[in-house]
Amino acid sequence: MKTRNSRPDGTCAEAAPVAGVAAGAGRRSVPWLPEGGLRWAVSARGLIHPPLLAAGLVLVWVLVAWWTNTAQYGDHFEQLSWAQSMEWGYHKHPPLPSWLLAAAIRVGGLHAWWPSVLAGGCIALNLVLTWRIACWLIGEDRAGLAVLFAGLQQGFMGKAQLFNHNSVLVVCVSAVVLLALRATQLEAARPARQQTLRWALVGVVAGLAMLSKYQAALPLIGVVVAMWRSGALARPANRQGLALAVVIALLMLAPHVAWVATHGWSTVAYATQSGVSQSAGERLAGVVKFLVIQLRVLSPALLMLALVAGWSGRRGTDRAARMPQPVRGDDRPAPQWIWLSSLLGVPVAGVLVAALMGGLRLQDHWGIQTFQFMGLVAAALWPWPVRPAWRRCVAVALVLHGVFLLAHSAPRWTDMARSTRARVDEFYPARAMADAMRAQWLAAVPAGCTLRYVRGPGFEAGIIGLYAPEHPAVVDDNLLHTPWLQLADFAEAGHLAVRLGTPPELDDWSSGPVLRGEFSFDVPAQRQAPHQTLHWMIVPPARCAAP
């Protein structure tokens, strides 16, 4: 019996991904996988072929979000602000996501849809890679179920439009896992050069993962634990390959570390929540809250499994003839279960230890990567045959996607849809805000003085910077967070300062005569504070110059 890896045409090819399983000469086998040729035809049933279906659903989510939203998530404006200059780091995070956005802008110009396009591309690619990983670990049938599950995690559907460090992180992590599985497979005839190249790619992508977000350290440790516990590191070639990958990853990370060291270790302070102190009770309460929120995030996927399980149970469907066995005949864990438990267990254990022992305040979005491979474990534990119920699974998944799409787009077609979030970023009247601020600038300064700088918190300043026709450069309230800024030009060109709720404050860069005002508007989808006021302050330019 053979495991399968995916061919370029979308089917799964015979492969040997999991080291440590007993095998004959030159081949590996995973005992619990079903025999026979399991293929889903790309042509006849292409629309429900797992990776194509996953990518299609992500596209639908991005398009519906683009039609529904009147603004963007705050993370988008943060990324757009950082993308104004390609640095080796930014005051909160490593640089890779901002580099990607900066590259897109330099190639295709500044457009409001770039963040959503990049986000959708990241999520779709992550789901495709997840399917390929599942083909290696749990077989083709269960790989389809794993992708359906992952596609229904709220971080990968409702937030498919959200481009931030988590978007890039999950892609890099999936790529590392797949490359590591390929690098550790045993083939006596493989050339040493090819093996070295595979391990070098593992190191490159691991370095990219760390340049996406420091949280990548947890799943990367999980990959190493899986290789160690599965017996893959018993081979000298794999130990040497892993050492090469580690060296390459560290070399890729070195310029960023140097940047951080010369910028006050700001990213480390942000990641470790410097200055935050919690009692034991607060830590425990934070963990409980985090897990409850992650259960809510996983609820659409869990609901799909519950509905299909109930359906299968009522129809008297036989249990799967070959179940994935967690333990081999020698009472040692089966290699595929070692990989699954490590990919899920190490990140979960890491965030819980960081909260309970390290005192970190758990953030909801940490769960996106932490439970990234939950679908693989759920599919591996699924007790019924997948192939006979595949169309049923797809039908249930599509219905659930439709229901949640309607819920997400509700503010577009009903005033009754209101969120309990403190700030519903994507439903702010972005164009109206930008037009109002531009009109105030044009009325206050001499003709021909272009609005070149807008200053303030990233969300409101980012709205003006993206949606105003001039696309003024966004400057953070803390000028140290905008390292590319030419202070002399900033002082000479004047600027528009904006802030929601409270007026912008005077400082050394806004002294002298200034003009103040406010712009009031409604955010009907925002239940807690539907009426908002944008306060503005204009620092007139010392002289006018072309942008």
Side-chain angles (χ1 to χ4, degrees):
M1 291 164 282
K2 305 160 188 170
T3 60
R4 287 172 169 79
N5 181 26
S6 41
R7 290 194 179 104
D9 64 359
T11 60
C12 283
E14 296 176 4
V18 185
V21 182
R27 290 188 178 272
R28 316 298 294 167
S29 64
V30 179
W32 54 266
L33 289 182
E35 293 192 43
L38 302 181
R39 297 286 189 271
W40 282 313
V42 178
S43 55
R45 287 180 282 175
L47 292 179
I48 59 172
H49 191 55
L52 299 179
L53 176 64
L57 287 171
V58 170
L59 176 62
V60 170
W61 270 101
V62 171
L63 291 176
V64 169
W66 187 249
W67 170 75
T68 302
N69 297 350
T70 55
Q72 314 236 353
Y73 284 98
D75 283 1
H76 287 185
F77 298 119
E78 183 176 67
Q79 292 297 331
L80 286 163
S81 175
W82 293 342
Q84 294 172 121
S85 177
M86 296 183 72
E87 308 285 339
W88 271 107
Y90 302 92
H91 72 278
K92 287 170 58 177
H93 287 297
L96 182 58
S98 305
W99 286 354
L100 294 177
L101 183 55
I105 291 171
R106 281 157 177 73
V107 170
L110 178 59
H111 299 286
W113 39 260
W114 267 129
S116 295
V117 169
L118 291 176
C122 287
I123 298 304
L125 179 57
N126 173 62
L127 293 177
V128 172
L129 293 174
T130 298
W131 178 72
R132 292 183 61 129
I133 293 167
C135 279
W136 283 73
L137 290 177
I138 60 178
E140 184 180 354
D141 278 10
R142 295 176 186 272
L145 185 61
V147 169
L148 283 185
F149 185 101
L152 280 167
Q153 293 177 229
Q154 291 184 18
F156 300 148
M157 59 174 195
K159 296 295 179 68
Q161 59 172 312
L162 175 57
F163 181 70
N164 59 16
H165 294 265
N166 294 306
S167 312
V168 182
L169 171 64
V170 293
V171 176
C172 291
V173 168
S174 291
V176 169
V177 172
L178 182 61
L179 289 169
L181 283 169
R182 291 175 60 86
T184 55
Q185 69 172 328
L186 298 178
E187 288 182 11
R190 175 181 299 145
R193 181 176 179 180
Q194 182 181 358
Q195 183 78 345
T196 300
L197 178 60
R198 289 190 177 184
W199 279 111
L201 287 175
V202 172
V204 169
V205 181
L208 293 176
M210 289 300 297
L211 287 173
S212 301
K213 192 175 183 181
Y214 297 152
Q215 187 184 351
L218 292 177
L220 293 180
I221 292 172
V223 171
V224 175
V225 169
M227 288 190 288
W228 165 58
R229 295 185 60 223
S230 66
L233 295 183
R235 298 183 67 236
N238 285 339
R239 292 198 300 272
Q240 295 168 7
L242 178 60
L244 173 65
V246 171
V247 169
I248 291 175
L250 292 176
L251 287 175
M252 292 185 62
L253 195 60
H256 171 66
V257 173
W259 183 94
V260 173
T262 57
H263 287 76
W265 302 96
S266 60
T267 58
V268 176
Y270 179 81
T272 57
Q273 299 177 357
S274 178
V276 174
S277 177
Q278 294 190 100
S279 66
E282 289 173 330
R283 297 180 187 187
L284 183 60
V287 167
V288 172
K289 178 184 176 183
F290 175 77
L291 294 177
V292 169
I293 289 174
Q294 300 314 311
L295 183 62
R296 186 198 69 191
V297 170
L298 294 170
S299 60
L302 296 173
L303 180 58
M304 179 198 73
L305 293 184
L307 292 173
V308 177
W311 195 343
S312 299
R314 286 196 303 270
R315 293 174 65 90
T317 305
D318 293 335
R319 296 270 172 156
R322 291 176 177 83
M323 294 273 294
Q325 299 298 322
V327 179
R328 299 189 298 191
D330 55 6
D331 293 331
R332 289 183 296 164
Q336 64 273 13
W337 276 102
I338 289 174
W339 276 88
L340 293 172
S341 61
S342 300
L343 293 177
L344 179 63
V346 171
V348 171
V351 296
L352 295 182
V353 168
L356 294 175
M357 300 182 63
L360 292 186
R361 184 177 291 116
L362 293 178
Q363 305 298 307
D364 300 347
H365 54 81
W366 291 357
I368 293 176
Q369 193 294 307
T370 301
F371 293 96
Q372 175 180 352
F373 296 112
M374 187 72 186
L376 271 69
V377 175
L381 292 171
W382 185 250
W384 289 281
V386 175
R387 191 160 37 140
W390 174 243
R391 292 180 181 273
R392 188 183 311 151
C393 293
V394 171
V396 172
L398 290 177
V399 169
L400 290 174
H401 275 285
V403 170
F404 282 92
L405 278 167
L406 286 174
H408 176 83
S409 62
R412 179 80 173 189
W413 45 268
T414 174
D415 292 335
M416 298 178 64
R418 297 191 170 196
S419 173
T420 57
R421 282 186 289 155
R423 194 181 77 193
V424 189
D425 295 358
E426 62 271 35
F427 292 114
Y428 271 65
R431 296 196 182 277
M433 294 168 65
D435 290 345
M437 294 302 97
R438 181 172 184 265
Q440 295 294 341
W441 175 268
L442 293 176
V445 303
C449 289
T450 303
L451 175 59
R452 297 179 56 197
Y453 295 102
V454 57
R455 184 183 178 191
F459 178 66
E460 46 264 50
I463 284 179
I464 312 305
L466 181 60
Y467 288 95
E470 300 87 350
H471 297 308
V474 177
V475 178
D476 195 280
D477 269 338
N478 186 338
L479 299 187
L480 294 177
H481 295 168
T482 315
W484 51 264
L485 183 64
Q486 300 294 321
L487 296 179
D489 184 67
F490 177 66
E492 190 172 77
H495 66 273
L496 168 70
V498 293
R499 182 175 294 173
L500 285 168
T502 59
E505 299 176 357
L506 292 170
D507 62 12
D508 292 341
W509 300 98
S510 56
S511 57
V514 297
L515 301 176
R516 291 183 177 273
E518 59 185 47
F519 172 66
S520 297
F521 57 91
D522 291 335
V523 187
Q526 194 165 276
R527 180 181 301 172
Q528 292 189 19
H531 307 294
Q532 291 287 310
T533 299
L534 180 67
H535 296 268
W536 56 267
M537 178 177 69
I538 292 177
V539 179
R543 68 178 181 87
C544 294

